[in-house]
Amino acid sequence: MTSTSSAGRVPAGLLDTEAIRKDFPVLDRLVHDGKKLVYLDNAATSQKPRQVLDTLNEYYERHNANVHRGVHVLAEEATALYEGARDKVAAFINAPSRDEVIFTKNASESLNLVANMLGWADEPYRVDSDTEIVITEMEHHSNIVPWQLLSQRTGAKLKWFGLTDDGRLDLSDIEQIITEKTKIVSFVLVSNILGTVNPVEAIVRRAQDVGALVLIDASQAAPHMVLDVQALGADFVAFTGHKMLGPTGIGVLWGRQELLEDLPPFLGGGEMIETVSMHSSTYAPAPHKFEAGTPPIAQAVGLGAAVDYLSAIGMDRIAAHEHALTEYAVGRLLEVPSLRIIGPTTAEDRGAAISFTLGDIHPHDVGQVLDEQGIAVRVGHHCARPVCLRYGIPATTRASFYLYSTPAEVDALVEGLEQVRNFFG
Amino acid sequence: MYQEVILDHYKHPHGRGLRDGQAEVHHVNPTCGDEITLRVRMDGSVIGDVSYEGQGCSISQASASVLNDLLVGKDLAEAQKIQETFLELMQSKGRIEPDDAMEEVLEDAVAFAGVSKYPARVKCALLSWMAWKDATAQALSEPSGSADASGGKTA
């Protein structure tokens, strides 16, 4: 352990962040006339290690070609790299089969893909006016709007779990919400705004009892903890690459193989077909059935490198680091006068994204004054406006940590907030 | 960017509260959740009142206060010129250094020149001005004397 903290006891279980940070060139940046960058916006996107950047460069400099088409050497190399990335992701999430890993452009596309599969599906999966869709009040807009669209287009009823005052799902009426009519339950594993880690088992068990499918949005989980799709027991799991050290433009949808065989494609085009005539077509088996057109090849290869990087450190160690840091950060933030954490106020069942309000100072003003000190946080409703409505606030400031974050950065945030209070107080 | 003038208007807003008007609009800035409800009362071609309620950052709220100071009592044509000058300043990406002529027109509003360097905040500064433009257009298209639907309660 090399990180030091001036203001509090250094928590146990931290990673060697000094060594890790050497892999992330951007973390050395100075901003606003020489201020050290303190990057606490990891829930929005992570920074990228040199290993990922080098992989992207090398792909374009040495192997670039379209995949699954040519017979020349570059096409074969590009295909092997792209499909190799699929193998790496499949291993990373403990998928029973590599063919269950569909590459998309981001988690939103993964979630929309499932909504569209179900809208066009035959029985028993079909979502129609006699059926119900279940989500939660703490979803990112990307796991709300696709279901509103599906509900509007099919007449299916959209229902959701509410939230408790301390930022957790209210499952007290689970039997009224998930019923025999429910076709799909879609919920977030770790909330991007509240930080809450949700109780998967209770929801999956109820869904399975009534024969509903389960989709888990793991966008804020895959980067931070061991993600084992078999242990989760869900039918689909969606996440994105850029929050887990990978490039933008690459996402993942994992789905159980028999479902992927049964469900219809959504986007049509090259690569997803078996044969095409002017009258009709037959489709390639999954995952290609769901990957129409030239995929994000370099981005998938970059995600593979990110998965290698994370796995070499160990997702369990990363989770332990973030847990220790979150515990420290929650404690220090609660010392700041007039600061209110929106979400769980302990580190239990909690991820490393911490939202808060500071008196009646608007988050935009908080973020701007922090930025002047080199501290990057996210402000606004975090694409989860219903959560802000639920807690009666217009917006929050959110600090979110990752494997390279340090207690010293938590201290910088706390000192920065003191300056905000002095400025607007 | 946080000039003393801006902080003053934020902490002590001028003309805040909803009063009678011929038109009411509600504008939001979806990126940050700033909101404003704004009413315009025209007395012939003169701006009789611009009243507002809102929540949001210091920039959006101070800007509404400055707007009220600048536009109430002005003839519509002059107010439109002020609005256009403010818009030009805010869209300048920090390239316009307000001169005496601009300061003559914009008064306290020149303090927002620094905000124009921050693309994410320009919308905050413009929120009330866009709401005013919208409400004024509606007020002018209303038959004269028609009362605002929500009854013009005073906050």
Side-chain angles (χ1 to χ4, degrees):
Chain A
M1 189 184 340
T2 50
S3 304
T4 55
S5 162
S6 57
R9 216 157 55 83
V10 178
L14 294 180
L15 293 166
D16 180 358
T17 49
E18 194 173 317
I20 289 171
R21 291 173 75 91
K22 291 200 173 86
D23 291 332
F24 292 80
V26 78
L27 296 179
D28 284 337
R29 252 201 77 173
L30 301 177
V31 295
H32 296 311
D33 301 326
K35 300 220 173 48
K36 202 168 162 2
L37 172 69
V38 176
Y39 185 76
L40 303 181
D41 195 16
N42 292 286
T45 197
S46 70
Q47 298 301 344
K48 321 303 174 196
R50 202 177 288 286
Q51 289 83 340
V52 169
L53 303 175
D54 288 349
T55 299
L56 287 169
N57 259 333
E58 191 188 324
Y59 172 79
Y60 279 123
E61 287 181 358
R62 295 192 48 83
H63 310 294
N64 177 56
N66 212 328
V67 291
H68 302 136
R69 286 162 175 80
V71 291
H72 55 81
V73 63
L74 293 188
E76 283 170 0
E77 287 174 3
T79 303
L81 285 166
Y82 178 68
E83 293 301 331
R86 198 188 309 276
D87 290 328
K88 289 177 182 184
V89 171
F92 184 72
I93 61 174
N94 194 28
S97 162
R98 66 183 306 281
D99 293 334
E100 297 179 335
V101 174
I102 300 165
F103 284 131
T104 61
K105 75 167 186 280
N106 50 37
S108 295
E109 186 181 304
S110 300
L111 297 165
N112 277 273
L113 176 54
V114 176
N116 280 283
M117 286 175 183
L118 299 180
W120 296 102
D122 294 325
E123 291 299 340
Y125 308 114
R126 188 176 181 79
V127 169
D128 58 28
S129 59
D130 292 329
T131 65
E132 295 176 352
I133 300 162
V134 173
I135 58 175
T136 85
E137 201 176 6
M138 70 165 76
E139 298 309 312
H140 188 281
H141 295 167
S142 62
N143 201 25
I144 297 175
V145 182
W147 304 111
Q148 290 175 338
L149 290 170
L150 185 63
S151 164
Q152 286 157 12
R153 287 167 183 169
T154 61
K157 186 174 179 191
L158 183 62
K159 297 163 79 175
W160 56 87
F161 289 104
L163 306 182
T164 63
D165 288 342
D166 58 349
R168 304 213 178 257
L169 284 182
D170 177 3
L171 298 181
S172 58
D173 48 358
I174 189 167
E175 295 189 356
Q176 285 75 53
I177 291 182
I178 301 177
T179 70
E180 304 289 333
K181 288 189 163 189
T182 307
K183 284 286 180 180
I184 175 83
V185 180
S186 187
F187 67 96
V188 71
L189 181 43
V190 181
S191 162
N192 75 310
I193 177 167
L194 297 167
T196 315
V197 177
N198 283 321
V200 172
E201 201 187 332
I203 301 170
V204 168
R205 196 185 316 124
R206 174 64 186 164
Q208 286 175 344
D209 283 350
V210 299
L213 296 175
V214 174
L215 165 56
I216 292 180
D217 174 3
S219 300
Q220 299 289 345
H224 303 290
M225 58 177 69
V226 176
L227 185 68
D228 179 336
V229 295
Q230 297 187 59
L232 288 176
D235 298 288
F236 302 100
V237 176
F239 55 97
T240 192
H242 71 92
K243 294 187 200 290
M244 51 189 287
L245 312 184
T248 54
I250 183 73
V252 173
L253 176 67
W254 170 83
R256 282 199 296 117
Q257 188 139 22
E258 60 270 33
L259 288 170
L260 298 182
E261 282 166 13
D262 286 354
L263 288 165
F266 173 49
L267 296 176
E271 190 54 39
M272 55 79 72
I273 48 84
E274 198 172 59
T275 63
V276 177
S277 73
M278 290 313 292
H279 298 288
S280 65
S281 301
T282 58
Y283 309 120
H288 305 293
K289 180 165 84 172
F290 301 102
E291 293 182 359
T294 297
I297 304 165
Q299 291 76 6
V301 175
L303 177 58
V307 161
D308 284 344
Y309 187 93
L310 291 169
S311 299
I313 292 173
M315 292 310 296
D316 48 348
R317 292 179 64 216
I318 291 170
H321 170 84
E322 292 183 23
H323 183 77
L325 200 60
T326 301
E327 198 159 45
Y328 180 71
V330 165
R332 291 237 50 208
L333 287 170
L334 289 175
E335 292 167 10
V336 177
S338 77
L339 186 144
R340 171 189 170 203
I341 290 179
I342 307 298
T345 50
T346 71
E348 295 317 304
D349 291 325
R350 183 186 218 309
I354 306 176
S355 273
F356 56 86
T357 58
L358 190 63
D360 58 0
I361 306 171
H362 193 279
H364 253 197
D365 294 321
V366 176
Q368 195 88 51
V369 174
L370 289 177
D371 175 64
E372 284 166 8
Q373 302 164 63
I375 303 167
V377 294
R378 171 88 191 266
V379 297
H381 52 47
H382 315 287
C383 299
R385 190 164 173 272
V387 171
C388 291
L389 294 174
R390 164 65 177 81
Y391 295 107
I393 49 175
T396 76
T397 303
R398 180 187 69 190
S400 52
F401 307 99
Y402 206 5
L403 76 166
Y404 39 64
S405 304
T406 68
E409 290 182 311
V410 173
D411 296 340
L413 171 66
V414 170
E415 283 155 27
L417 291 171
E418 282 304 323
Q419 296 212 30
V420 174
R421 292 183 63 245
N422 291 338
F423 197 78
F424 289 101
Chain B
M1 70 183 266
Y2 291 110
Q3 302 278 320
E4 205 54 50
V5 167
I6 295 179
L7 289 175
D8 271 354
H9 276 278
Y10 173 53
K11 290 174 183 169
H12 310 288
H14 302 180
R16 194 180 168 93
L18 288 173
R19 296 172 293 276
D20 284 338
Q22 291 115 352
E24 174 180 306
V25 297
H26 180 74
H27 279 214
V28 300
N29 176 2
T31 54
C32 62
D34 290 342
E35 297 191 22
I36 191 160
T37 302
L38 182 143
R39 283 186 197 154
V40 166
R41 192 189 84 228
M42 297 298 297
D43 297 338
S45 69
V46 172
I47 295 157
D49 194 13
V50 181
S51 62
Y52 62 95
E53 265 302 340
Q55 59 172 19
C57 65
S58 57
I59 301 299
S60 70
Q61 301 305 301
S63 180
S65 169
V66 167
L67 178 149
N68 173 280
D69 265 5
L70 275 176
L71 302 192
V72 174
K74 297 275 194 327
D75 192 74
L76 180 61
E78 193 185 350
Q80 282 168 336
K81 187 185 163 217
I82 295 169
Q83 193 264 342
E84 281 158 21
T85 309
F86 187 67
L87 187 63
E88 183 194 346
L89 177 65
M90 294 319 297
Q91 291 176 340
S92 72
K93 302 190 167 94
R95 285 195 292 263
I96 292 181
E97 189 65 44
D99 56 12
D100 289 351
M102 186 175 261
E103 196 159 346
E104 185 97 345
V105 176
L106 291 182
E107 301 176 28
D108 276 2
V110 294
F112 289 84
V115 178
S116 72
K117 279 181 273 192
Y118 297 86
R121 306 303 297 277
V122 169
K123 274 188 195 164
C124 309
L126 288 176
L127 182 70
S128 55
W129 294 78
M130 293 305 174
W132 171 77
K133 197 178 167 191
D134 186 11
T136 301
Q138 288 185 28
L140 295 173
S141 66
E142 291 282 311
S144 66
S146 85
D148 155 59
S150 50
K153 64 180 181 291
T154 304

